[in-house]
Amino acid sequence: MTTQNTPSTRKAAVIGAGQTGVTAAFGLLDAGFEVTLYSDRDQRSLRNDVPATGTALEFGETQQAEVALGLDTYTARAPRHSGLSVRIAGEANAELIGFDGNFDGYVGVAVDTRLKADERLTAFLERGGKFVVEPVTPESLDGIAAANDLTLVATGRAGLSDLFAIDTDRTVYDAPQRKLLTVTVKGLGFDEGVFAHRSPAGGAHSLFSIFAEQGEAWWGPYLHKDAGPTWAFLGWARPGSDWETRFDAADSAESALNIVKDLYRDYIDWDLPEVEATEVITEDPHSWLKGAVKPVVRAGIGHTASGHVVGSLGDTSVAYDPIAGQGAQSGLIQAQRLVAAAAVHDGAFDEAWLAEQYSSFLAARSDAANKVTRLFLSDPAFADIGGQFFATAAVDPKFAAALVGLLHRPQPFLGINSVEDAGAYIAQVTGQDPAELLARFTPAGRFERSTFAPALV
Ligand SMILES: Cc1cc2nc3c(=O)[nH]c(=O)nc-3n(C[C@H](O)[C@H](O)[C@H](O)COP(=O)(O)OP(=O)(O)OC[C@H]3O[C@@H](n4cnc5c(N)ncnc54)[C@H](O)[C@@H]3O)c2cc1C
């Protein structure tokens, strides 16, 4: 169905100028394609009229994909995460498990998706890419696909995603697992005195608190498009919980931050002084977001009305609950893999080629990313493995690093399906007997509280 030109005239279209679409468009242009990027918003609106799609924390493997495309990883500009501090409260909010996992040989950065898309779009335009502002419909997509050798759809979770069938084997939930609330704030630094009660790294570690009966709460350093180095809060509320009622009430950045401060007063007082010191970013009315993500895996291939084949990309392919920070990472890795494969391919970008790229992406990253997301969602299917992993992390720093390392490279978890497999992995990482390690675990009892006082005071 698609026309095949000589390599020098190969034409590609990318639909959607979120960070995944722009990254793919830039990469294809750099690989010698003539590229048209379609967006329902102009560049100014993409940056200023919408919230960031998500926190978009990413780690080493994703940064390597960006480097391979000749793109900035923001590791020199964004506040760096060097680890993750985890605290888990069980039934009746009993303080059970605490550990601090260091990132071993990589760093994390959370960059405003609007900033990244905007800067990559500028680079794309400067290099001669064509940018068309129009909402693409299923009808207009038909014409676009007919005129291009390769058409990729990166319109996010909604947009044109219905063109791609849901993969019912890989889609395990029929509803969102959490309600989400996020807000980006200023007023807090990143030195060792910030969140010092959590780890010696202080403000260089992000913080994750899990409440078995309510949900999860995360704070981490963030690069905001206007305010620069800031902090982001991201909360997950279980259906029917008190946290869900609280999150539902947010209707502005101010109200979101007030809800978060009340949440910390009532539930997570160990981190309260730092949270109390934060302020909203007044120059950005879109610095907050609430909602829910239904985790879905779609097909990598869709067809337009007259049968042209198009590929899915980013959130259009796979929507992850953000609990393990896999969505942005997955889309960027998928984009880089597609660009690299397209650059060296001298045949048609037909159904067989797109199918091969998609199944190799699922095997190389996405299947593992989905499984790790289920682990961090406390999916009952992984309850025993999760209990063993988190308790062992509280006892052994090497295993704590390996556990938080699954956010960077989820692949080791793909083959772990039983407590025996989990034990073998623990033994492989630590060189110790997993049963002996687990026997050393004792519940935390009471977590250390913050004694932070803002510098001014
Ligand atoms: C609260 C939250 C926190 C998150 N945290 C993390 C994290 O820490 N780490 C991580 O890796 N991931 C995280 N994610 C996921 C991550 O943010 C997303 O996976 C990623 O930003 C998706 O980018 P995208 O470009 O695929 O989609 P989008 O950002 O949704 O971009 C799609 C673009 O297509 C445009 N569009 C839509 N329809 C059309 C149309 N018909 N025609 C033309 N244009 C169209 C839209 O306007 C938009 O600009 C999080 C997500 C959420 C919700």
Side-chain angles (χ1 to χ4, degrees), residues 157-171:
R157 285 184 276 128
L160 298 168
S161 58
D162 284 347
L163 280 175
F164 303 91
I166 291 177
D167 180 335
T168 49
D169 290 340
R170 289 185 163 87
T171 301

PDB file of all heavy atoms in Angstrom, residues 157-171:
ATOM      1  N   ARG A 157      -2.458   8.832  24.801  1.00  0.00           N
ATOM      2  CA  ARG A 157      -3.394   7.778  25.224  1.00  0.00           C
ATOM      3  C   ARG A 157      -4.744   7.912  24.539  1.00  0.00           C
ATOM      4  O   ARG A 157      -5.425   6.928  24.332  1.00  0.00           O
ATOM      5  CB  ARG A 157      -3.575   7.825  26.744  1.00  0.00           C
ATOM      6  CG  ARG A 157      -2.378   7.274  27.483  1.00  0.00           C
ATOM      7  CD  ARG A 157      -2.633   7.238  28.972  1.00  0.00           C
ATOM      8  NE  ARG A 157      -2.350   8.524  29.592  1.00  0.00           N
ATOM      9  CZ  ARG A 157      -3.208   9.175  30.376  1.00  0.00           C
ATOM     10  NH1 ARG A 157      -4.409   8.685  30.614  1.00  0.00           N
ATOM     11  NH2 ARG A 157      -2.852  10.315  30.925  1.00  0.00           N
ATOM     12  N   ALA A 158      -5.156   9.156  24.223  1.00  0.00           N
ATOM     13  CA  ALA A 158      -6.440   9.338  23.537  1.00  0.00           C
ATOM     14  C   ALA A 158      -6.138   9.478  22.044  1.00  0.00           C
ATOM     15  O   ALA A 158      -5.714   8.519  21.411  1.00  0.00           O
ATOM     16  CB  ALA A 158      -7.152  10.561  24.094  1.00  0.00           C
ATOM     17  N   GLY A 159      -6.330  10.678  21.494  1.00  0.00           N
ATOM     18  CA  GLY A 159      -5.966  10.915  20.105  1.00  0.00           C
ATOM     19  C   GLY A 159      -6.478   9.837  19.176  1.00  0.00           C
ATOM     20  O   GLY A 159      -7.645   9.461  19.209  1.00  0.00           O
ATOM     21  N   LEU A 160      -5.560   9.312  18.350  1.00  0.00           N
ATOM     22  CA  LEU A 160      -5.954   8.319  17.345  1.00  0.00           C
ATOM     23  C   LEU A 160      -5.700   6.883  17.815  1.00  0.00           C
ATOM     24  O   LEU A 160      -5.627   5.959  17.002  1.00  0.00           O
ATOM     25  CB  LEU A 160      -5.185   8.590  16.048  1.00  0.00           C
ATOM     26  CG  LEU A 160      -5.461   9.959  15.390  1.00  0.00           C
ATOM     27  CD1 LEU A 160      -4.435  10.239  14.283  1.00  0.00           C
ATOM     28  CD2 LEU A 160      -6.868  10.003  14.805  1.00  0.00           C
ATOM     29  N   SER A 161      -5.594   6.700  19.135  1.00  0.00           N
ATOM     30  CA  SER A 161      -5.167   5.378  19.623  1.00  0.00           C
ATOM     31  C   SER A 161      -6.156   4.262  19.262  1.00  0.00           C
ATOM     32  O   SER A 161      -5.758   3.098  19.134  1.00  0.00           O
ATOM     33  CB  SER A 161      -4.942   5.412  21.138  1.00  0.00           C
ATOM     34  OG  SER A 161      -6.122   5.812  21.788  1.00  0.00           O
ATOM     35  N   ASP A 162      -7.440   4.618  19.057  1.00  0.00           N
ATOM     36  CA  ASP A 162      -8.416   3.568  18.725  1.00  0.00           C
ATOM     37  C   ASP A 162      -8.110   2.854  17.401  1.00  0.00           C
ATOM     38  O   ASP A 162      -8.671   1.786  17.124  1.00  0.00           O
ATOM     39  CB  ASP A 162      -9.832   4.167  18.628  1.00  0.00           C
ATOM     40  CG  ASP A 162     -10.400   4.438  20.019  1.00  0.00           C
ATOM     41  OD1 ASP A 162      -9.806   3.943  20.993  1.00  0.00           O
ATOM     42  OD2 ASP A 162     -11.415   5.162  20.113  1.00  0.00           O
ATOM     43  N   LEU A 163      -7.234   3.437  16.597  1.00  0.00           N
ATOM     44  CA  LEU A 163      -6.835   2.771  15.345  1.00  0.00           C
ATOM     45  C   LEU A 163      -6.036   1.493  15.611  1.00  0.00           C
ATOM     46  O   LEU A 163      -5.845   0.672  14.702  1.00  0.00           O
ATOM     47  CB  LEU A 163      -5.935   3.694  14.522  1.00  0.00           C
ATOM     48  CG  LEU A 163      -6.608   4.786  13.701  1.00  0.00           C
ATOM     49  CD1 LEU A 163      -5.558   5.669  13.073  1.00  0.00           C
ATOM     50  CD2 LEU A 163      -7.464   4.137  12.604  1.00  0.00           C
ATOM     51  N   PHE A 164      -5.543   1.384  16.858  1.00  0.00           N
ATOM     52  CA  PHE A 164      -4.675   0.251  17.187  1.00  0.00           C
ATOM     53  C   PHE A 164      -5.418  -0.663  18.167  1.00  0.00           C
ATOM     54  O   PHE A 164      -5.801  -0.225  19.264  1.00  0.00           O
ATOM     55  CB  PHE A 164      -3.353   0.771  17.782  1.00  0.00           C
ATOM     56  CG  PHE A 164      -2.661   1.717  16.841  1.00  0.00           C
ATOM     57  CD1 PHE A 164      -2.903   3.090  16.915  1.00  0.00           C
ATOM     58  CD2 PHE A 164      -1.837   1.249  15.827  1.00  0.00           C
ATOM     59  CE1 PHE A 164      -2.311   3.973  16.024  1.00  0.00           C
ATOM     60  CE2 PHE A 164      -1.246   2.123  14.924  1.00  0.00           C
ATOM     61  CZ  PHE A 164      -1.485   3.486  15.012  1.00  0.00           C
ATOM     62  N   ALA A 165      -5.616  -1.891  17.776  1.00  0.00           N
ATOM     63  CA  ALA A 165      -6.398  -2.828  18.593  1.00  0.00           C
ATOM     64  C   ALA A 165      -5.722  -3.078  19.930  1.00  0.00           C
ATOM     65  O   ALA A 165      -4.483  -3.077  20.023  1.00  0.00           O
ATOM     66  CB  ALA A 165      -6.540  -4.145  17.826  1.00  0.00           C
ATOM     67  N   ILE A 166      -6.541  -3.296  20.951  1.00  0.00           N
ATOM     68  CA  ILE A 166      -5.994  -3.623  22.271  1.00  0.00           C
ATOM     69  C   ILE A 166      -5.476  -5.060  22.261  1.00  0.00           C
ATOM     70  O   ILE A 166      -6.144  -5.973  21.769  1.00  0.00           O
ATOM     71  CB  ILE A 166      -7.068  -3.423  23.364  1.00  0.00           C
ATOM     72  CG1 ILE A 166      -7.358  -1.911  23.498  1.00  0.00           C
ATOM     73  CG2 ILE A 166      -6.622  -4.010  24.693  1.00  0.00           C
ATOM     74  CD1 ILE A 166      -8.439  -1.559  24.488  1.00  0.00           C
ATOM     75  N   ASP A 167      -4.256  -5.228  22.768  1.00  0.00           N
ATOM     76  CA  ASP A 167      -3.657  -6.556  22.886  1.00  0.00           C
ATOM     77  C   ASP A 167      -4.205  -7.171  24.175  1.00  0.00           C
ATOM     78  O   ASP A 167      -3.761  -6.816  25.282  1.00  0.00           O
ATOM     79  CB  ASP A 167      -2.123  -6.393  22.937  1.00  0.00           C
ATOM     80  CG  ASP A 167      -1.391  -7.713  23.064  1.00  0.00           C
ATOM     81  OD1 ASP A 167      -1.980  -8.682  23.582  1.00  0.00           O
ATOM     82  OD2 ASP A 167      -0.209  -7.765  22.659  1.00  0.00           O
ATOM     83  N   THR A 168      -5.187  -8.050  24.032  1.00  0.00           N
ATOM     84  CA  THR A 168      -5.895  -8.554  25.225  1.00  0.00           C
ATOM     85  C   THR A 168      -5.021  -9.507  26.050  1.00  0.00           C
ATOM     86  O   THR A 168      -5.264  -9.679  27.249  1.00  0.00           O
ATOM     87  CB  THR A 168      -7.206  -9.264  24.818  1.00  0.00           C
ATOM     88  OG1 THR A 168      -6.914 -10.182  23.773  1.00  0.00           O
ATOM     89  CG2 THR A 168      -8.249  -8.267  24.337  1.00  0.00           C
ATOM     90  N   ASP A 169      -4.001 -10.095  25.455  1.00  0.00           N
ATOM     91  CA  ASP A 169      -3.106 -10.945  26.256  1.00  0.00           C
ATOM     92  C   ASP A 169      -2.243 -10.102  27.182  1.00  0.00           C
ATOM     93  O   ASP A 169      -1.925 -10.509  28.299  1.00  0.00           O
ATOM     94  CB  ASP A 169      -2.190 -11.768  25.337  1.00  0.00           C
ATOM     95  CG  ASP A 169      -2.971 -12.836  24.593  1.00  0.00           C
ATOM     96  OD1 ASP A 169      -4.077 -13.173  25.067  1.00  0.00           O
ATOM     97  OD2 ASP A 169      -2.506 -13.292  23.540  1.00  0.00           O
ATOM     98  N   ARG A 170      -1.823  -8.962  26.689  1.00  0.00           N
ATOM     99  CA  ARG A 170      -0.903  -8.126  27.474  1.00  0.00           C
ATOM    100  C   ARG A 170      -1.619  -7.100  28.353  1.00  0.00           C
ATOM    101  O   ARG A 170      -0.982  -6.510  29.235  1.00  0.00           O
ATOM    102  CB  ARG A 170       0.070  -7.402  26.540  1.00  0.00           C
ATOM    103  CG  ARG A 170       1.090  -8.322  25.901  1.00  0.00           C
ATOM    104  CD  ARG A 170       2.095  -7.522  25.090  1.00  0.00           C
ATOM    105  NE  ARG A 170       3.270  -8.305  24.812  1.00  0.00           N
ATOM    106  CZ  ARG A 170       3.404  -9.118  23.760  1.00  0.00           C
ATOM    107  NH1 ARG A 170       2.409  -9.238  22.897  1.00  0.00           N
ATOM    108  NH2 ARG A 170       4.516  -9.800  23.579  1.00  0.00           N
ATOM    109  N   THR A 171      -2.887  -6.834  28.097  1.00  0.00           N
ATOM    110  CA  THR A 171      -3.622  -5.847  28.885  1.00  0.00           C
ATOM    111  C   THR A 171      -4.320  -6.570  30.025  1.00  0.00           C
ATOM    112  O   THR A 171      -5.295  -7.294  29.804  1.00  0.00           O
ATOM    113  CB  THR A 171      -4.645  -5.117  27.987  1.00  0.00           C
ATOM    114  OG1 THR A 171      -3.907  -4.488  26.936  1.00  0.00           O
ATOM    115  CG2 THR A 171      -5.431  -4.064  28.758  1.00  0.00           C
TER     116      THR A 171
END
